[in-house]
């Protein structure tokens, strides 16, 4: 079967190019996806950074606002301490401390979901303490001073606690008398001397100006120190309105958020633009790679076409050389066969020629009797009666000649019979030669291998020595689709090789049998066998184990080639000194004969 180089190259290269193209496209898509992912991550990171910055800015602003107002409240507490505490609040707080609050504190609280809450009787008890505090002398004057001092300021409420935690004053009078001893802010200011502030939002709130709504307040618990010392003598709680400041902070945060969104959109647009550039670059790169691959394919295709032409030419030359080798081997076989056939034909031809010459000579002696018989026949035709008068005196001179030329007709017939037998032998030889070469039949036909092998054996007997017995053992075989002339050459070659492997007397056995769907032909000899080192090479071209000048090394190589063309195989088994068996297996039906690779 001819190897279609261009077809195989085209299929293989297109497959590989498609694989390369798909791989490049895959990696380009992966690269684009990674770029998009990186850009998305960068955009997300940039957005997170801006959001974190805005959040931290808002927290920082609120923290700074809290610190600033806490500092202002501390200063306010100091101002109160300097202006009002010693003269006004200290005496009033001292009076309030005389009111016993322990009886109210001893009242039980009630548990509510894991926490404790003040009961109504306890609240009422502390409310009565508040009423007694507001009934103390100087309360109204103190309250008026506080209102006058804080009016029109950002301070919405002021509370004053004694060191027991009792609210001794509040600008919201209803809260006077409350117990704040458990409040964390009060404890920080009263016990640790540390101000503590927090930012809260109130929907409604009671301020110096009256009720206010939706306000952000900073409440600060501030320790009041005794003038000239670090001793805590009371606690102020101051509520400052920071709503305008928080509004400005929120506005600033909104502006920062808006700017961040604008920047994020710009980043997204830049990412899309960069992605478009990358995609365009990838498309150009893929196009360039595709063009290069196409040019490479075209160049390689030209090279392969050129190579296929060279291979085709070499194949033709190889076929021609192979045909010449096969013809040479066939002619060598035919030379041996012709020598044997010539010997086979010489014997019947020689005695047939001799017998014909003897018959010819004998027929020469019958000329006179034939003439006498012819003359007698003419005389008898002219005689009307039953009697003829002969003049014997004229014939006496020829009687001796007639007696001396007598011919044995039976011997002549036997001699001619021998000639016919010789002609029969020669005719049989010609028929077998014709069957051997199959010159009068198609190249491929359904042939009876047993009959073909018998013909080959008949021809081989004229070539091999008489001391070698050729045994034919044929089994039942179906008609084989083959080229009989080529197979005859194979079998004749195997028989000749078997004969050459036998020194002196021996036996060659040709047997046939079926092996599944195949025909099996064996040529077995009792010769010397094939050397182990030569066995792997016996089917190689020009390899021979015969002495120089006696073997061409073509027979088995050509035989294997012919068998392979028929879709079969040839094997060999051998044993040193124990003979060799060549086994040929052929399919009964096959595809059209193929050319050997």
């Amino acid at each position: 079967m001819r190897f279609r180089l261009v077809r195989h190259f085209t299929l293989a290269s297109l497959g590989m190019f498609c694989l390369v193209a798909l791989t490049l496209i895959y990696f380009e898509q992966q690269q684009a996806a990674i770029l998009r992912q990186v850009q998305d991550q960068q955009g997300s990171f940039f957005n997170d950074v801006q959001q974190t910055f805005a959040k931290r800015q808002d927290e920082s602003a609120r923290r700074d606002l809290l610190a600033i107002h806490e500092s202002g409240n501390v200063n306010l507490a100091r101002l109160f301490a300097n202006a009002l505490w010693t003269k006004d609040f200290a005496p009033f707080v001292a009076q309030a401390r005389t009111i016993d609050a322990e009886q109210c504190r001893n009242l039980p609280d009630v548990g509510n979901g894991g926490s404790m809450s003040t009961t109504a009787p306890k609240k009422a008890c502390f409310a009565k303490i508040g009423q007694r505090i507001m009934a103390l002398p100087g309360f109204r004057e103190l309250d008026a001073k506080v209102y006058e001092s804080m009016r029109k300021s950002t301070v919405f409420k002021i509370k004053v606690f004694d060191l027991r935690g009792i609210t001794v004053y509040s600008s919201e009078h209803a809260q006077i008398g409350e117990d704040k001893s458990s409040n964390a802010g009060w404890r920080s200011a009263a016990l640790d001397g540390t101000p503590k502030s927090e930012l809260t939002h109130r929907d409604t709130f009671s301020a110096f100006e009256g009720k206010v709504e939706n306000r952000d307040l900073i409440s600060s618990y501030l320790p009041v120190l005794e003038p000239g010392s670090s001793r805590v003598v009371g606690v102020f709680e101051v509520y400052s309105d920071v709503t305008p400041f928080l509004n400005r902070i929120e506005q600033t945060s909104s502006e920062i958020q808006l700017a961040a969104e604008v920047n994020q959109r710009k980043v997204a647009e830049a990412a899309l633009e960069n992605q478009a550039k990358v995609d365009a670059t990838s498309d150009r790169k893929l196009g360039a790679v595709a063009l290069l691959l196409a040019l490479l394919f075209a160049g390689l295709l030209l090279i392969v076409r050129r190579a296929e032409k060279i291979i085709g030419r070499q194949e033709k030359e190889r076929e021609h050389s192979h045909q010449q080798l096969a013809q040479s081997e066939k002619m060598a076989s035919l030379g041996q066969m012709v020598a044997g056939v010539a010997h086979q034909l010489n014997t019947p031809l020689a005695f047939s020629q001799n017998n014909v010459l003897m018959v010819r000579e004998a027929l020469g002696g019958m000329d006179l009797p034939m003439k006498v018989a012819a003359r007698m026949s003419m005389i008898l035709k002219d005689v009307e009666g039953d009697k003829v008068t002969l003049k014997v005196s004229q014939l006496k001179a020829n009687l001796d000649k007639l007696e001396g030329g007598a011919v044995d007709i039976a011997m002549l017939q036997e001699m001619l019979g021998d000639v016919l037998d010789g002609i029969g032998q020669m005719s049989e030889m010609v028929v077998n030669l014709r069957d051997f070469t199959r010159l009068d039949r198609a190249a491929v036909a359904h042939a009876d291998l047993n009959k073909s092998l018998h013909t080959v054996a008949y021809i081989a007997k004229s070539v091999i020595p008489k001391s070698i017995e050729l045994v034919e053992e044929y089994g039942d075989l179906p008609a084989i689709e083959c080229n009989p002339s080529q197979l005859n050459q194979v079998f004749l070659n195997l028989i000749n090789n078997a004969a050459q492997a036998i020194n002196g007397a021996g036996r060659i056995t040709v047997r046939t049998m079926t092996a599944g769907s195949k025909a099996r032909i064996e040529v077995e000899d009792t010769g010397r066998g094939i050397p182990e080192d030569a066995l792997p090479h016996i089917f190689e071209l020009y390899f021979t184990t015969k002495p120089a000048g006696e073997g061409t090394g073509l027979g088995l190589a050509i035989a294997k080639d012919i068998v392979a063309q028929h879709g079969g195989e040839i094997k060999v088994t051998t044993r040193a000194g124990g003979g060799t068996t060549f086994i040929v297996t052929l399919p009964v039906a096959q595809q059209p004969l193929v050319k050997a690779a």
Side-chain angles (χ1 to χ4, degrees), residues 59-78:
E59 292 175 351
S60 176
R62 290 174 180 269
R63 186 172 59 251
D64 292 343
L65 179 64
L66 189 63
I68 291 171
H69 278 76
E70 183 179 74
S71 177
N73 291 336
V74 170
N75 292 330
L76 179 63
R78 289 174 181 173

Side-chain angles (χ1 to χ4, degrees), residues 409-464:
I409 299 300
M411 183 186 69
L412 292 181
Q413 289 178 342
E414 182 179 352
M415 293 176 64
L416 290 177
D418 291 339
V419 171
L420 290 176
D421 290 340
I423 292 174
Q425 293 180 18
M426 289 185 286
S427 176
E428 182 183 5
M429 179 66 69
V430 170
V431 170
N432 280 283
L433 284 174
R434 184 195 63 190
D435 291 340
F436 177 80
T437 57
R438 297 281 177 168
L439 296 178
D440 59 342
R441 297 195 182 180
V444 178
H446 285 82
D448 183 354
L449 277 189
N450 288 338
K451 183 177 180 181
S452 297
L453 283 167
H454 177 71
T455 300
V456 171
Y458 181 88
I459 299 297
K461 288 178 182 178
S462 66
V463 179
I464 63 178

Side-chain angles (χ1 to χ4, degrees), residues 75-93:
N75 292 330
L76 179 63
R78 289 174 181 173
L79 176 63
F80 264 66
N82 293 331
L84 299 175
W85 182 263
T86 303
K87 182 180 179 181
D88 298 312
F89 273 104
F92 184 77
V93 171

Side-chain angles (χ1 to χ4, degrees), residues 457 460-472 494-510 523-528:
K461 288 178 182 178
S462 66
V463 179
I464 63 178
K466 298 297 183 180
S467 60
I468 298 176
E469 179 186 8
L470 183 56
V471 180
E472 301 176 52
L494 293 179
I495 294 174
N496 284 337
N497 285 351
Q500 293 169 2
I502 297 174
N503 297 323
R507 184 177 66 257
I508 300 173
T509 303
V510 180
V523 178
E524 179 183 3
D525 64 64
T526 59
R528 57 181 174 272

Side-chain angles (χ1 to χ4, degrees), residues 25 38 55 91 139 182 195 271 280-281 306 337 356 359 366 402 405 458 461 464 474 507 518 527-528 561 567 572:
I25 292 173
V38 170
K55 182 178 180 180
F139 174 79
S182 60
T281 302
R306 175 62 177 167
M337 184 179 66
V356 169
V359 170
M366 295 178 66
L402 289 174
Y458 181 88
K461 288 178 182 178
I464 63 178
Y474 302 133
R507 184 177 66 257
K518 295 183 178 181
R528 57 181 174 272
D561 192 13
V572 60

Side-chain angles (χ1 to χ4, degrees), residues 302-356:
L302 292 176
I303 294 173
V304 170
R305 285 186 179 276
R306 175 62 177 167
E308 187 178 46
K309 291 181 179 179
I310 295 174
I311 292 173
R313 184 169 62 252
Q314 291 176 345
E315 175 68 15
K316 290 181 179 178
E317 293 174 356
R318 190 187 71 84
E319 289 179 1
H320 180 67
S321 176
H322 182 77
Q323 290 175 358
Q324 288 182 332
L325 291 174
Q327 189 66 23
S328 174
E329 176 65 15
K330 190 171 184 178
M331 291 303 295
S333 299
L334 288 176
Q336 296 177 357
M337 184 179 66
V338 167
V341 169
H343 176 73
Q344 291 289 96
L345 290 176
N346 275 336
T347 299
L349 185 62
F351 73 72
S352 295
Q353 183 180 10
N354 184 58
N355 286 355
V356 169

